[in-house]
Amino acid sequence: MKQQPCAITALTLEAREQLPEAHLSGLWRVQTGAMRLNLHEPHDQNLIRMVLPGDLLGMEQRVGITDHLVVHTLIPTTLIPVHPQDDAHLTRLLMEAVSHSYQRSRDMAALRTGTTDERVRRLLLAIADPTSDPINATQTCVLPCLSDMAALVNAAPETVCRSLSKLRRLNVLQDCSPQPSRHKQLGSRLHQLQGFAISPGSGLKRAMRTCV
C-alpha cells in the first residue's frame, strides 16, 4: 500500500500556512487546530469545508478524486500521519472519512444560517480547544484571521468585526494572550469564551476518532 511521503511522527503548521502538496498524497489526522479545504486556489468562493480535530486529510486521493485541493490552516495546527495496515483498515478509515465529511457539510450549513452574531459564535465554538473547561462554560480558542472568519460565515469582514466587538463588550470574548497586542488585529491570539455552549441542534460537533 502507498505510504506517507516521509517518515515523520507529526507535522506542525503555523496559522495561515499551506499544507505542502507533497503531503497531500499521504493520509493525516488533525490532532489540534483547524484548517480550511479549498478547491484549486484559496479563494473564498472555492471554500469546501473546515477540517477539525479528529478529521482525516488525504482520503480524496485514495478514492480517485483528481481535483487540485489546497489546504490552509486557520490557526496553528498539528497533523499526525495515519498508516493503513491493510485493505480492511483502509475501508474502516474510508467509512470514518465519509461520516466526518457529512458532519463538516452540516457544519458549513450551520455557519451560513442565522444572524452573523450567531454564525460567529458557532465558528468560535467549533474551533475552541476541546480540553477547555466545559463545566464552567469556559473555553479557549485562537482566533483565525478576519478574512478567513468572514469566508467561513459568509459575511463581510466589517460585519464579522462588529460581531467580535459586540462579544468583547459583553465579556463573552476575552483576549488572554500572555503578551499584549500592539495591533488591532486579533487573529492568531488566544481568547477565552465565557458563558455559552453549543446547542444540541447547532450541528457543530467534533469528529470522534473511531479508527487509528
Side-chain angles (χ1 to χ4, degrees):
M1 299 185 68
K2 192 173 184 179
Q3 297 297 318
Q4 300 292 91
C6 52
I8 59 177
T9 58
L11 180 64
T12 300
L13 302 171
E14 297 300 323
R16 307 203 75 185
E17 187 174 349
Q18 180 175 338
L19 180 67
E21 289 191 19
H23 293 304
L24 286 174
S25 60
L27 192 59
W28 303 87
R29 189 183 298 279
V30 180
Q31 186 175 49
T32 62
M35 312 179 82
R36 56 180 287 179
L37 180 65
N38 283 74
L39 182 64
H40 299 303
E41 298 294 340
H43 297 315
D44 295 347
Q45 63 268 27
N46 292 326
L47 173 65
I48 298 176
R49 60 181 171 88
M50 287 193 298
V51 188
L52 299 178
D55 290 352
L56 291 167
L57 269 176
M59 191 59 76
E60 293 82 5
Q61 288 80 356
R62 299 270 180 163
V63 297
I65 294 176
T66 58
D67 289 337
H68 179 200
L69 300 177
V70 180
V71 185
H72 276 80
T73 57
L74 295 169
I75 58 178
T77 300
T78 299
L79 306 174
I80 54 175
V82 178
H83 302 287
Q85 302 301 313
D86 49 37
D87 288 342
H89 187 197
L90 181 60
T91 298
R92 293 195 300 273
L93 291 170
L94 176 59
M95 294 176 64
E96 180 187 354
V98 170
S99 175
H100 291 180
S101 181
Y102 173 73
Q103 183 60 55
R104 296 299 155 247
S105 297
R106 292 191 61 190
D107 292 350
M108 291 306 299
L111 292 177
R112 305 300 174 90
T113 305
T115 67
T116 303
D117 291 352
E118 292 170 339
R119 286 178 270 160
V120 169
R121 284 184 176 220
R122 291 175 188 143
L123 174 59
L124 296 180
L125 285 166
I127 63 175
D129 183 356
T131 63
S132 301
D133 184 3
I135 296 177
N136 296 316
T138 300
Q139 301 181 72
T140 57
C141 72
V142 177
L143 260 60
C145 71
L146 190 59
S147 60
D148 279 332
M149 294 182 69
L152 287 163
V153 302
N154 195 30
E158 297 80 6
T159 307
V160 174
C161 189
R162 286 194 294 270
S163 293
L164 293 173
S165 296
K166 183 184 298 184
L167 292 176
R168 291 197 298 273
R169 288 196 304 270
L170 295 172
N171 289 324
V172 173
L173 182 66
Q174 301 174 358
D175 188 348
C176 58
S177 294
Q179 297 296 328
S181 176
R182 297 180 180 178
H183 307 284
K184 292 184 178 180
Q185 289 88 349
L186 296 177
S188 299
R189 293 180 62 78
L190 184 66
H191 285 71
Q192 189 174 73
L193 309 176
Q194 292 275 2
F196 65 93
I198 299 175
S199 62
S202 68
L204 288 168
K205 299 178 181 178
R206 294 186 178 276
M208 298 299 293
R209 184 174 176 179
T210 56
C211 299
V212 178

